[in-house]
Amino acid sequence: MDTPEKTQIAAPPVSAHEDSPVFNFIRSLSPIKPVKSAHIAQTFTSLPFTSLPSVFTSPHANFHKDPSFLRRHQSLDPSNPNRSSENHNIVCRNGDFTNGISQKREISDKKVSVEVHAEPCKEHSDFATEFPQNLRHIFYNPEGNLTGCSADAESAVETAGMSTPIIPVVVKSPEKPLPEGEGQQQNKEWPIDASDLFIFSSPNDAEAFRELIQRSPDFGTPVPNFHRGLRRRCLDFEIAELCKLSGDDSDYSHMALSQHDENTLVNEGQLPVKSEGDPLRCTLPGIGLHLNALATTSNDYQSVEHENLLSENQLMNTQISSSSLNLPNAHQSLHESLTSVVSEDIGSTDNGVLVVQDGSQSCAYPDGEELDHNSPQKKRRKAEHSEDGACKRCNCKKSKCLKLYCECFAAGVYCIEPCSCLDCLNKPIHENTVLATRKQIESRNPLAFAPKVIRASDSFPDTGDDSNKTPASARHKRGCNCKKSGCLKKYCECYQGGVGCSFNCRCEGCKNSFGRKDGSTLISVEAEVIEEGKENFEKSMGNQGSLEIMKQRDPIQATPSAYYRPSNQNTYSAKNEPPQSTSFVTTSSSSVLHASQNQGQLKHIALQPEFEKHYDNNNNNNKNNVGGKMPEVLRSNDTPNTVIKTTSPNGKRVSSPHSDFGSSPPLRSGRRLILKSIPSFPSLTQH
DNA sequence: GAGTTTGAAACT
DNA sequence: CAGTTTCAAACTC
Ligand SMILES: [Zn+2]
Ligand SMILES: [Zn+2]
Ligand SMILES: [Zn+2]
Ligand SMILES: [Zn+2]
Ligand SMILES: [Zn+2]
Ligand SMILES: [Zn+2]
């Protein structure tokens, strides 16, 4: 029990994946993806990245698989300026950043990649500019988070993750079935489970990919502004973690960064998300884990293939994590912190990764094991904020942090210093054990590591389908079973997650302030309820949210697409705001159609409807941020294709007969969350 | 900080 | 799949 063994892990996957329909599916998709990916990469990513130093190399590796890609990238490079500028412009629009535009151009010209970023990063504007699209996404994320648009962050993440991951995936799959599948090495790494990725991905991924693909190009969301503000101690941690993750994923590189650079960027983006925590303390810890692992792995395995796969996975994780992090309140501060952090990170670009790690170390991983990989460097401040130092996370005494009882493990992150666990095996050193255990658990319950809360996007008016209209259509993936808490305390996962109870819940005497399972929560009512709930949350939550957030990363494994979820508002950083949906929300949008059709089912996640509310509540600024962030992200992505996709044939149910999980224990047989896919965000946009 | 309550996760 | 046990967080004091 305690120690899961590799054997288990080994069993699953790879071969199966190849054979699996999913694979086929993916393959079929691949052609398409490549194209888009190519565009993305070339257009956005590749350009900037190309310029990237050696660091970026890894990313290239992914692309390398297809020589053509590389070529394109390179060729594009020259064009970069132009395109980049275009992209930038777009971005700017979204972001409204004037600065970004001008700078962007510079960047494009220079093609400076990470390095540039690093320096410029200091300044938000630079940052934004630097990362045109790819970066954008990344930055974006942060901003989104910051903004309070956790969603944005998520979306950003998604986009980033999607685009990158997708591409690589696609490419790989066709070319290479899954050599790594076995991934002995992969196994080592948490994220690594490339096999998992494929597996899960396939079904879900399809959707995700599609979305990503579509989005990626569209992405324009921008919101550089947000970045500026970001910065926080916590962020540092997050960033570090993120960086690691991202770094691992070479795939993301397409985004623009190569390993290191990417990492940095990614981190940045992610961080923001995490930043939520800034108040937070250590929400990040979670991030570190998987992410760290990934990073580590990546380092270890630079072999392109593995890396790619891994990276994808990792990326996913990272993204997820970041998204999961949600920042509730700290939008502004986060922004600032993030920004600064990011910039800093970037600055150290070379070290970027390292830096990141450092950050994580500070808070997250004292062990430094992970950190070790890269570096040494600056630790930055991480602590700064930790304010209390609170980064505490789990307190496990008997589970060795290898069971879902452990929040860290459940969140997909390694335990770090702040954890008070005993005999903890959830550390980078025991990566193999961790991964093996994780696989086992996943084998039992594919959704075990998926985000607990899925946001349906009712926000989309278009969709309309939502049966639930609940304001926040988000709901717990499995529903709660509360008997005594009335779903009014954190004991209730629905409540804790800031979502109302749904028909999936078996609660008794449900009084969930976010919405009762009846659906009674009418909109108006909801608002009130929510408010109340939030208040309570705030009081109760104070700080939590860290791990939960982390959990989001799960999606990565399970579903790439899902990952994106923005975390949303949920987490509240400190007590400031009520988290709507706390931690675990995942939002996915929807693009599941294809996937679903094919097989994919996925979970979907929706966007958060409540963003606006949150924003409002949280920040006055929201409007600006929100508009910019959310909308852009969502919009860009969603609007165009997403919506349609989302719609999916039936409506969206994701669950398919086989569905991914065949038997998903967690899901109730009957009800599964089908997550309807919702279109990606329709509208929040600022526009 | 210790002790209680709670409901998920794990186990049978 | 249900019932029971285990577990660690949430809560209370
Ligand atoms: Zn633990
Ligand atoms: Zn822990
Ligand atoms: Zn631990
Ligand atoms: Zn409940
Ligand atoms: Zn519930
Ligand atoms: Zn309930």
Side-chain angles (χ1 to χ4, degrees):
Chain A
M1 298 290 292
D2 297 355
T3 49
E5 310 237 59
K6 292 178 181 180
T7 54
Q8 294 174 343
I9 294 168
V14 176
S15 62
H17 292 292
E18 292 176 353
D19 293 352
S20 69
V22 172
F23 236 72
N24 294 339
F25 176 72
I26 292 168
R27 290 179 182 176
S28 60
L29 295 178
S30 64
I32 295 169
K33 291 177 181 179
V35 172
K36 290 181 180 179
S37 64
H39 291 292
I40 296 167
Q42 294 176 347
T43 307
F44 307 80
T45 319
S46 51
L47 297 179
F49 296 161
T50 38
S51 61
L52 299 181
S54 59
V55 174
F56 292 118
T57 329
S58 58
H60 290 295
N62 294 343
F63 294 97
H64 284 298
K65 290 180 180 180
D66 293 349
S68 61
F69 284 103
L70 293 176
R71 290 178 182 176
R72 289 180 183 177
H73 292 292
Q74 293 175 348
S75 63
L76 292 179
D77 290 350
S79 63
N80 287 345
N82 296 342
R83 290 189 179 181
S84 63
S85 64
E86 291 175 355
N87 295 342
H88 291 297
N89 293 342
I90 294 168
V91 173
C92 294
R93 291 176 185 173
N94 297 343
D96 292 351
F97 292 73
T98 50
N99 293 346
I101 295 167
S102 63
Q103 290 176 347
K104 289 178 181 179
R105 289 180 182 177
E106 291 177 357
I107 293 167
S108 62
D109 293 350
K110 291 178 181 178
K111 296 178 181 179
V112 175
S113 50
V114 175
E115 291 176 352
V116 172
H117 294 293
E119 293 177 357
C121 289
K122 293 174 182 178
E123 298 176 356
H124 305 294
S125 60
D126 291 352
F127 219 14
T129 45
E130 288 178 356
F131 307 91
Q133 294 178 342
N134 295 340
L135 295 182
R136 244 201 273 154
H137 297 294
I138 295 168
F139 287 96
Y140 203 62
N141 298 340
E143 291 177 356
N145 294 338
L146 295 177
T147 323
C149 303
S150 47
D152 291 350
E154 291 177 357
S155 61
V157 171
E158 291 177 356
T159 55
M162 295 183 62
S163 61
T164 356
I166 293 170
I167 295 168
V169 173
V170 174
V171 173
K172 291 177 181 180
S173 39
E175 291 179 354
K176 304 175 181 178
L178 294 179
E180 308 100 342
E182 278 68 322
Q184 295 171 344
Q185 292 176 346
Q186 292 176 348
N187 292 344
K188 292 178 181 178
E189 304 169 0
W190 231 131
I192 295 172
D193 308 65
S195 60
D196 292 352
L197 226 142
F198 288 104
I199 296 170
F200 292 81
S201 316
S202 27
N204 298 343
D205 291 354
E207 293 175 356
F209 287 128
R210 289 181 182 179
E211 289 178 355
L212 292 177
I213 293 168
Q214 292 175 345
R215 289 182 180 180
S216 56
D218 294 349
F219 273 0
T221 45
V223 191
N225 295 339
F226 304 91
H227 296 292
R228 293 179 182 177
L230 302 181
R231 196 190 227 186
R232 277 214 172 187
R233 312 158 184 176
C234 287
L235 291 179
D236 292 348
F237 297 101
E238 292 175 356
I239 293 167
E241 293 174 356
L242 293 177
C243 291
K244 290 178 182 179
L245 295 178
S246 62
D248 292 350
D249 308 344
S250 30
D251 295 353
Y252 294 89
S253 58
H254 79 345
M255 293 175 64
L257 314 174
S258 9
Q259 295 172 340
H260 298 289
D261 294 350
E262 288 178 354
N263 293 342
T264 307
L265 295 177
V266 172
N267 292 341
E268 292 172 355
Q270 292 175 346
L271 292 179
V273 175
K274 292 177 181 179
S275 57
E276 297 171 346
D278 55 19
L280 27 147
R281 336 174 154 170
C282 307
T283 11
L284 319 180
I287 296 165
L289 252 194
H290 301 295
L291 299 179
N292 291 344
L294 294 177
T296 307
T297 26
S298 62
N299 292 343
D300 293 351
Y301 311 89
Q302 288 181 344
S303 52
V304 174
E305 293 175 355
H306 292 282
E307 287 180 353
N308 292 343
L309 295 177
L310 294 177
S311 60
E312 291 174 355
N313 293 341
Q314 291 174 348
L315 291 177
M316 299 295 297
N317 293 341
T318 306
Q319 293 175 344
I320 292 167
S321 62
S322 59
S323 60
S324 57
L325 295 183
N326 311 327
L327 320 179
N329 311 341
H331 302 297
Q332 294 176 344
S333 22
L334 291 178
H335 291 289
E336 293 177 355
S337 58
L338 290 177
T339 315
S340 34
V341 171
V342 172
S343 53
E344 289 178 356
D345 291 350
I346 292 169
S348 47
T349 312
D350 292 349
N351 303 336
V353 173
L354 296 179
V355 171
V356 173
Q357 290 175 348
D358 290 347
S360 60
Q361 287 178 346
S362 59
C363 255
Y365 305 74
D367 296 353
E369 294 174 353
E370 293 176 356
L371 297 178
D372 294 352
H373 295 304
N374 305 321
S375 77
Q377 296 194 350
K378 11 177 121 209
K379 324 184 155 206
R380 289 181 173 188
R381 5 172 148 184
K382 32 182 125 222
E384 326 174 338
H385 233 330
S386 40
E387 297 182 354
D388 296 354
C391 298
K392 294 187 175 177
R393 252 333 193 168
C394 73
N395 237 1
C396 309
K397 306 298 181 191
K398 297 182 177 181
S399 68
K400 297 180 182 178
C401 297
L402 288 179
K403 292 188 178 181
L404 294 177
Y405 292 129
C406 174
E407 293 188 1
C408 299
F409 179 79
V413 300
Y414 291 110
C415 287
I416 53 176
E417 249 187 303
C419 293
S420 302
C421 41
L422 265 44
D423 299 332
C424 179
L425 295 180
N426 186 24
K427 296 183 177 180
I429 3 178
H430 298 113
E431 186 177 344
N432 294 337
T433 300
V434 172
L435 292 175
T437 303
R438 207 172 73 113
K439 280 193 174 183
Q440 289 184 345
I441 293 171
E442 281 184 338
S443 67
R444 292 180 182 177
N445 178 0
L447 295 180
F449 293 92
K452 291 182 179 179
V453 174
I454 297 171
R455 274 243 177 201
S457 55
D458 37 347
S459 53
F460 304 83
D462 294 351
T463 330
D465 56 350
D466 318 351
S467 45
N468 313 334
K469 344 219 73 244
T470 42
S473 30
R475 50 193 201 300
H476 194 275
K477 69 180 175 185
R478 244 190 112 213
C480 66
N481 267 349
C482 308
K483 304 297 181 187
K484 297 180 178 179
S485 67
C487 300
L488 287 174
K489 293 187 178 180
K490 287 184 180 177
Y491 291 128
C492 174
E493 292 193 353
C494 296
Y495 180 87
Q496 184 170 40
V499 300
C501 288
S502 66
F503 68 97
N504 289 315
C505 298
R506 294 178 179 178
C507 47
E508 295 178 0
C510 180
K511 294 178 182 178
N512 190 326
S513 53
F514 288 93
R516 302 184 188 185
K517 58 182 174 186
D518 296 355
S520 57
T521 44
L522 299 182
I523 296 170
S524 61
V525 173
E526 289 176 355
E528 293 175 356
V529 173
I530 292 168
E531 289 177 357
E532 292 176 357
K534 290 178 180 179
E535 291 176 358
N536 294 339
F537 283 117
E538 291 176 355
K539 293 177 183 177
S540 64
M541 309 262 335
N543 307 320
Q544 313 171 339
S546 56
L547 294 181
E548 293 174 355
I549 293 169
M550 310 296 292
K551 291 178 182 179
Q552 290 179 342
R553 87 179 158 105
D554 292 353
I556 293 169
Q557 296 174 342
T559 338
S561 56
Y563 310 170
Y564 341 108
R565 83 212 81 321
S567 50
N568 17 221
Q569 352 118 331
N570 298 338
T571 354
Y572 5 81
S573 45
K575 340 174 163 210
N576 300 339
E577 303 177 355
Q580 292 177 346
S581 36
T582 359
S583 24
F584 353 58
V585 179
T586 306
T587 359
S588 62
S589 55
S590 39
S591 28
V592 180
L593 290 182
H594 298 291
S596 59
Q597 290 175 343
N598 293 341
Q599 295 175 340
Q601 319 171 346
L602 316 178
K603 22 186 151 208
H604 337 327
I605 319 173
L607 297 181
Q608 348 142 320
E610 296 174 352
F611 279 72
E612 293 176 356
K613 293 178 182 178
H614 293 290
Y615 294 115
D616 293 350
N617 293 343
N618 295 341
N619 300 335
N620 294 341
N621 298 348
N622 295 350
K623 293 177 181 178
N624 296 342
N625 295 342
V626 171
K629 295 175 182 180
M630 294 291 298
E632 291 177 354
V633 173
L634 296 180
R635 262 197 268 137
S636 59
N637 297 339
D638 301 353
T639 309
N641 302 336
T642 312
V643 174
I644 296 168
K645 293 174 181 179
T646 320
T647 329
S648 77
N650 296 339
K652 30 251 66 255
R653 316 184 147 172
V654 177
S655 58
S656 48
H658 306 302
S659 65
D660 317 349
F661 318 94
S663 56
S664 51
L667 299 185
R668 294 178 178 175
S669 55
R671 336 178 157 185
R672 6 182 111 180
L673 301 183
I674 309 178
L675 318 178
K676 343 179 142 195
S677 51
I678 297 171
S680 40
F681 241 143
S683 52
L684 292 178
T685 65
Q686 2 174 233
H687 318 301

